[in-house]
Amino acid sequence: MKKDPVCGMMVVESSKFQTKHHHGTYYFCSEHCKIKFDKSPDTYLHTKERSTIENCPDGSCDIKSSSIQYTCPMHSEIIRDEPGNCPICGMALEPLIATLEEDVSELKEMTQRFWFSVALALPLFVLAMITDMMPSWLPENISIKTLYSIEFFMATPVVLWGGWPFFVRGWQSIKTWNLNMFTLIALGVSVAWMYSVVALVFPTLFPPQMQGYDGTVHVYFESAAVIVALVLMGQVLELKARSNTNEAIKMLLSLAPNTATLIHTDGSETEISTEEVKVDDTLHIRPGEKIPVDGIVLKGESHVDESLVTGEPLAVKKTIGTKLIGATINSTGTLIMKAEKIGADTLLSQIIDMVAQAQRSRAPIQKLADLVSFYFVPIVVLTSLLTFVIWYLFGPEPKLAYAIVSAVAVLIIACPCALGLATPISIMVGTGKGASNGVLIKNAEALEILEKVTTLIVDKTGTLTEGKPRLVATETVGVIEKNDLLQLAASLEHSSEHPIAHAIIKEVESQNIQLLPIKEFDSVTGQGITGRVNSHTVAIGNLKLLEAMKVETGSLKERAQKLRYNDATVILIAIDGKPAGLIAVADPIKETTKAAIKVLHDEGLKVVMLTGDNATTANAVAQKLNIDETHADVLPKEKANIVKILQKQGEIVAMAGDGINDAPALAQAHVGIAMGTGTDVAMESAGITLIKGDLRGIVKARRLSRATMKNIRQNLFFAFVYNTLGVPIAAGVLYPFFGILLSPMIAATAMSFSSVSVIMNALRLKKETL
């Protein structure tokens, strides 16, 4: 299948609609797409592909591999520019970020080797069983040596060609001294095959007790071949299952639209590639189309389905000035938008990057598996040698045969692949599940710790409240008029990024009040701002700011206190060192906040509010929401100190915030949770980002953490128990009591299915309800 570069549909290679361009052939779903491509090919080719083509006009370069890096799913520190095998564990490297056109070359190769091996190993196994257990079924004129020779010719292609990747990886592991599962497989298969070859060609080298009446020595060609076939089957199943763990990223990648409709300054429209969209471009969004990039609505009204990005099922109403997220779907209305973020800066690109990083990150619990795996393989090799020695010295006749069979079974069954996969595979599925529910996990450590959190600290503005304050009162002191006070305040606030500043400026704009030029602007962290406006020295902020400037605030305190009892945030204004008035701004509590806090309490969490707002306003909000503890008038650095105090008291602290002033506390907390509606600085400081900016996302994240860690513990338990029980049984501890000796073929089956079962268990996370 090939991807249509115009519409993104997958089409068969035999499509009659195809064209050549820059030494490459492109396929289309219809003549319409072909005509559009022929008119402007570069519009629909990826920028990196175009640059590669331009730098390689003779077509000798590999376009697709030029920008792709590969990593190991179990060892994220391994990064290579080319596909290959991990030098530590031997697993095939995967692209750092999944692509829609997934590389299935290894799966295809392993599948071919598997079916080839099955075609020879199955009849070989039947022949060996008949020879050993029902020799009367065989023609009388065929000798045992002839049958063993037939087994040799059937097994050798399976071992040498079907099992070749295992020998290569096993040899690499020995050269680099990173012993892994392929070390054990290569040793087990090669020992069984080489022993059988020597027994067939030089039977006289073995003691008489091992020789039959015709001088032959029993061989294990069928064991070597069947082991290879079974391990290949495990690899095929594992590769298919691992592909499913990246479905979240593939789904996100498929969301991105290929084209956008650009509106030129003269009003004409052109369909262009999404990659050609520039910041500040004006775009036309028709009903049913995807939003091409992030931006704001300039004209029109509609509802947009953001469920695939935010996890929220209800469409969101969009009007002039509201934000649009790229790749979300417009409904029935028509929108004109301005592009604000493009390419890697869009929310979708950031989500994909964050999910990919989280899937490659390592949870602290992984250290346990790494430590065990580090010592496990050498111990297994020694156990295998010890098993051989014990059987050879104390076992029944034929001692050598029993010794080799038991030693090979130990090597095969002990492969630690399930142990190595137990944690990373669950992390991959869990972070993908979170992304599809609007919960972005930045690293696996945050996901692991979140289930242990005992205290949740929340900021007020933008976290508990909507973060969109509106002006509710303006009061003056002295002879200054309200509009003049607003004009001076708004002119100074125009240089501030605080939400309250936006509320004041919005009110001034609605009244068509002109802003004045300012000088000497200064921001006093946690207190307010100062500057010169129209020859006046203006200070806007809280009581601390005005008192520090020795402004008499007695006339303002009482009036401000009354407004604060109604949940309003009050800022005081001084002009030329004298009190001039106050402005009250109300920030409504989010509709979902109260219900979310109740659920968090039900989860056993203590909820603490930290805010730079006045204590009266903060306590009024806390009382409405039943918050356990409140700290008001807190400076940014004090927020981080309060987090430290709680941590010293033994609390596992999560901090949720959305502003630059929350960044220190987010970084200090055991788990930082950023609201996606907030600043980029907050998101960088946090381990988890909630796209919707809704506290219910914390509930989802905690449930996801609990489900993922439970899944990891199940995987680790299964892997540990499997190896703990499997190795002694393979070594033959049950033989003296029950006469049970594990065949290497059964050991290979158990080893293969242990890895597959770990992956299948991890995939169950997709069905968890958050």
Side-chain angles (χ1 to χ4, degrees), residues 176-448:
T176 59
W177 205 241
N178 288 304
L179 305 183
N180 54 49
M181 62 171 285
F182 294 106
T183 316
L184 303 180
I185 293 170
L187 280 173
V189 173
S190 59
V191 166
W193 183 77
M194 286 190 292
Y195 163 82
S196 300
V197 170
V198 174
L200 174 64
V201 180
F202 306 108
T204 56
L205 294 178
F206 295 83
Q209 297 92 331
M210 293 186 65
Q211 298 177 22
Y213 69 91
D214 57 355
T216 59
V217 175
H218 189 76
V219 295
Y220 295 94
F221 287 119
E222 82 285 357
S223 292
V226 172
I227 288 170
V228 169
L230 289 170
V231 175
L232 282 169
M233 179 180 68
Q235 289 288 294
V236 170
L237 293 174
E238 182 182 311
L239 286 167
K240 287 182 177 179
R242 272 165 51 192
S243 176
N244 290 335
T245 63
N246 270 326
E247 279 185 0
I249 290 184
K250 293 174 192 171
M251 183 271 289
L252 291 170
L253 285 166
S254 69
L255 294 180
N258 293 316
T259 60
T261 303
L262 175 67
I263 302 177
H264 299 282
T265 52
D266 61 0
S268 62
E269 296 183 359
T270 305
E271 189 175 85
I272 62 172
S273 167
T274 307
E275 293 170 0
E276 290 185 291
V277 176
K278 297 180 177 62
V279 174
D280 293 333
D281 275 354
T282 303
L283 306 173
H284 185 183
I285 315 298
R286 298 181 181 86
E289 288 187 341
K290 288 184 178 181
I291 312 297
V293 294
D294 295 359
I296 61 170
V297 178
L298 296 177
K299 185 179 179 181
E301 184 175 306
S302 184
H303 282 77
V304 175
D305 180 2
E306 299 180 343
S307 60
L308 290 175
V309 176
T310 65
E312 296 297 323
L314 297 178
V316 182
K317 186 176 181 179
K318 301 293 180 180
T319 57
I320 295 173
T322 54
K323 298 281 186 181
L324 293 172
I325 302 174
T328 56
I329 304 171
N330 184 28
S331 59
T332 55
T334 297
L335 298 173
I336 305 298
M337 69 171 289
K338 181 175 78 171
E340 289 190 326
K341 292 183 178 180
I342 61 174
D345 295 327
T346 63
L347 178 61
L348 180 64
S349 295
Q350 291 175 357
I351 291 173
I352 292 170
D353 185 54
M354 193 175 291
V355 173
Q357 286 185 38
Q359 291 185 343
R360 297 194 301 271
S361 63
R362 298 167 73 77
I365 198 171
Q366 175 70 23
K367 294 177 183 177
L368 175 63
D370 289 345
L371 183 64
V372 172
S373 296
F374 179 78
Y375 293 106
F376 188 69
V377 176
I379 290 173
V380 167
V381 174
L382 291 175
T383 302
S384 178
L385 292 173
L386 183 62
T387 299
F388 177 87
V389 171
I390 292 174
W391 274 98
Y392 187 70
L393 294 178
F394 305 107
E397 292 295 344
K399 295 181 178 181
L400 183 59
Y402 277 117
I404 288 177
V405 168
S406 299
V408 168
V410 168
L411 290 172
I412 297 299
I413 202 169
C415 289
C417 185
L419 189 62
L421 283 170
T423 298
I425 209 73
S426 295
I427 293 295
M428 290 178 73
V429 179
T431 51
K433 175 73 175 178
S436 61
N437 282 271
V439 179
L440 299 185
I441 313 297
K442 189 175 182 180
N443 56 66
E445 183 176 4
L447 186 64
E448 177 175 340

Side-chain angles (χ1 to χ4, degrees), residues 125-144:
F125 174 75
V126 173
L127 177 62
M129 291 301 99
I130 293 174
T131 303
D132 292 344
M133 303 173 67
M134 292 165 284
S136 60
W137 291 17
L138 297 170
E140 295 181 2
N141 58 342
I142 298 181
S143 67
I144 296 297

Side-chain angles (χ1 to χ4, degrees), residues 36-112:
K36 291 175 71 173
F37 181 90
D38 289 338
K39 284 183 179 178
S40 180
D42 288 352
T43 299
Y44 302 101
L45 295 181
H46 194 284
T47 313
K48 289 179 180 177
E49 290 186 11
R50 289 207 303 270
S51 63
T52 305
I53 291 169
E54 288 162 5
N55 294 329
C56 184
D58 64 353
S60 60
C61 312
D62 185 342
I63 293 173
K64 293 193 182 287
S65 64
S66 61
S67 59
I68 298 177
Q69 287 188 311
Y70 298 81
T71 187
C72 174
M74 285 168 54
H75 300 90
S76 56
E77 69 273 21
I78 302 299
I79 297 178
R80 298 286 186 270
D81 292 329
E82 298 291 338
N85 301 321
C86 173
I88 298 176
C89 67
M91 292 181 69
L93 301 180
E94 297 177 345
L96 275 174
I97 297 180
T99 59
L100 281 175
E101 296 180 15
E102 186 178 0
D103 182 6
V104 293
S105 57
E106 189 195 17
L107 175 59
K108 187 176 180 180
E109 179 193 346
M110 287 295 182
T111 302
Q112 290 174 341

Side-chain angles (χ1 to χ4, degrees), residues 553-585:
T553 57
S555 58
L556 296 174
K557 281 184 181 179
E558 186 177 342
R559 296 160 74 176
Q561 195 73 354
K562 289 180 180 178
L563 291 166
R564 290 183 184 123
Y565 281 127
N566 294 319
D567 301 347
T569 297
V570 181
I571 59 171
L572 309 180
I573 304 171
I575 299 175
D576 296 328
K578 297 179 181 180
L582 57 81
I583 292 176
V585 173

Side-chain angles (χ1 to χ4, degrees), residues 591-647:
E591 292 181 4
T592 57
T593 298
K594 190 169 185 178
I597 288 179
K598 183 181 183 306
V599 176
L600 290 167
H601 278 142
D602 293 342
E603 289 269 331
L605 289 176
K606 174 184 177 183
V607 182
V608 177
M609 181 172 71
L610 297 188
T611 178
D613 211 342
N614 181 273
T616 304
T617 304
N619 288 330
V621 171
Q623 189 172 0
K624 283 185 177 181
L625 298 176
N626 194 28
I627 287 174
D628 302 298
E629 187 178 317
T630 304
H631 298 266
D633 293 311
V634 180
L635 297 175
K637 63 180 180 181
E638 292 173 342
K639 288 186 178 183
N641 288 335
I642 291 172
V643 173
K644 288 179 183 178
I645 291 170
L646 288 168
Q647 289 172 330

